[in-house]
Amino acid sequence: MEKIEHKMIAVNGINMHVAELGQGSTILFLHGFPELWYSWRHQIVYFAEHGYRAVAPDLRGYGDTTGAPLNDASKFSILHLVGDLVALLEAIAPNEDSVFVVGHDWGATIAWHLCLFRPDKVKALVNLSVHFFPRNPQMNPVEGLKLLYGEDHYVSRFQVPGEIEAEFAPLGAKAVLKKILTYRDTAPFRFPKGKGLEALPDAPIALSSWLSEEDLDYFASKFEKTGFTGAVNYYRAFPIDWELTAPWTGAQVKAPTKFIVGEVDVVYHIPGVKEYLHNGGFKKDVPLLEEVVVLEGAAHFVNQEKPDEINKHIYDFIQKF
């Protein structure tokens, strides 16, 4: 871990913090919510040892990346997020026409859109936990999730600026992160007003075996400094994302793809998702999809929970290209 290099790179109007290690073809690792480059610590070391250059940024609004206006959620649209990555690749890999991309959670969503907007930039894709969600021209995702899960669902609760931050503040970043990162329930996240994190069941053990006190402290130290607004703004930008992505309604993802999800991942248990993944709908939207892997016993933060299995899955796939 101490060999990992850290640098700041000016991209797309922000200063992006990047962790990297290794020489060879670039693999761009994109973290999710509420995470950091650190979520890929196991992958960075593994792929550097296996002849690749592993690059993991703190995404816009996260960690040591600075410069995004936190008080304006519209500056966290999917076009901004993908724009950051296109500029980053120009800066760090000017001699590579395309790179390998690995995304988890929000990082997976950004990776799907990178493939839609700039397919020339992606050699092959491995996405974890969050499958491709084709755009529904009838309804934006916030309204759709409200219909499905009601007002207490976390996406609904994240919409009002400052509201969820005020509920999280007295608890402290460490308590919030511990609850979310160790969540192992297939029921959706709900934050009923006034209850804060009490609605989420505790992890069955003090810390999940894959998340040490030291790991949790690292995440917490960054979120104590930045707060949660940058991270939550991705959800607040859902309605504008829906408007801006209208031109890509019905578009396919044309990158060679492998998808991996945990058996007890909350996303895998959204109504209709298993049918979409396994009965042909996913393959129709992602025609170069080669494999869907369901990891037994794994929950949402699968790259940290099962790093050895995930590393092997990624390595076996990208070796082909």
Side-chain angles (χ1 to χ4, degrees):
M1 283 285 288
E2 60 276 1
K3 290 182 285 186
I4 295 172
E5 293 175 32
H6 296 268
K7 53 182 72 165
M8 298 297 292
I9 300 171
V11 297
N12 199 26
I14 63 173
N15 292 307
M16 185 167 258
H17 167 246
V18 173
E20 72 161 90
L21 189 63
Q23 306 285 323
S25 298
T26 299
I27 310 174
L28 181 64
F29 290 96
L30 306 174
H31 70 77
F33 170 88
E35 299 181 81
L36 300 163
W37 74 268
Y38 189 83
S39 307
W40 299 109
R41 59 199 176 279
H42 308 293
Q43 286 72 35
I44 293 170
V45 172
Y46 176 92
F47 283 96
E49 288 171 352
H50 285 76
Y52 291 91
R53 178 194 186 195
V55 177
D58 282 336
L59 296 173
R60 174 178 288 245
Y62 278 93
D64 293 326
T65 291
T66 60
L70 297 183
N71 59 352
D72 184 356
S74 73
K75 294 291 192 281
F76 289 77
S77 79
I78 197 69
L79 293 181
H80 289 88
L81 303 176
V82 172
D84 295 345
L85 300 182
V86 172
L88 179 65
L89 291 175
E90 289 295 330
I92 64 166
N95 301 320
E96 291 181 79
D97 292 334
S98 59
V99 301
F100 297 112
V101 179
V102 179
H104 170 255
D105 186 77
W106 256 105
T109 297
I110 299 165
W112 293 123
H113 285 87
L114 176 62
C115 292
L116 283 180
F117 303 158
R118 291 300 301 272
D120 57 307
K121 293 289 180 190
V122 183
K123 197 179 295 181
L125 173 67
V126 180
N127 262 345
L128 315 178
S129 298
V130 173
H131 56 278
F132 181 66
F133 279 81
R135 182 180 182 275
N136 175 1
Q138 309 305 323
M139 187 182 297
N140 86 49
V142 177
E143 296 308 315
L145 288 163
K146 209 173 277 185
L147 277 179
L148 196 57
Y149 293 127
E151 298 282 350
D152 289 340
H153 185 254
Y154 74 101
V155 173
S156 299
R157 292 283 283 113
F158 283 1
Q159 292 306 306
V160 179
E163 194 171 272
I164 202 74
E165 294 95 321
E167 289 192 26
F168 284 170
L171 303 166
K174 188 169 180 176
V176 173
L177 291 163
K178 182 176 176 180
K179 273 273 193 178
I180 296 175
L181 293 173
T182 59
Y183 189 76
R184 295 190 64 82
D185 202 311
T186 57
F189 275 156
R190 284 195 164 90
F191 294 119
K193 278 192 183 181
K195 280 200 166 178
L197 293 179
E198 290 168 36
L200 297 187
D202 279 323
I205 44 176
L207 274 187
S208 287
S209 55
W210 55 266
L211 188 70
S212 71
E213 202 71 43
E214 186 187 359
D215 296 332
L216 190 60
D217 283 340
Y218 183 85
F219 283 111
S221 71
K222 298 301 178 183
F223 280 94
E224 277 160 12
K225 195 177 79 178
T226 62
F228 285 93
T229 300
V232 173
N233 276 344
Y234 287 49
Y235 299 92
R236 292 179 182 145
F238 264 150
I240 195 171
D241 288 345
W242 181 74
E243 291 178 23
L244 293 170
T245 55
W248 289 273
T249 303
Q252 293 176 314
V253 171
K254 295 284 182 67
T257 301
K258 180 173 191 167
F259 179 69
I260 307 167
V261 65
E263 177 192 27
V264 289
D265 190 321
V266 61
V267 183
Y268 188 54
H269 291 269
I270 294 172
V273 165
K274 289 178 190 168
E275 294 75 10
Y276 175 70
L277 292 183
H278 302 301
N279 294 351
F282 192 23
K283 177 76 173 170
K284 187 164 161 281
D285 291 329
V286 187
L288 302 181
L289 176 71
E290 293 197 12
E291 196 179 358
V292 174
V293 177
V294 181
L295 275 193
E296 197 177 324
H300 183 68
F301 297 95
V302 67
N303 48 322
Q304 299 181 74
E305 187 183 339
K306 303 261 186 193
D308 296 344
E309 289 172 62
I310 290 296
N311 291 347
K312 189 169 186 331
H313 276 298
I314 298 168
Y315 184 76
D316 290 349
F317 183 64
I318 67 175
Q319 277 292 289
K320 303 175 188 177
F321 302 96

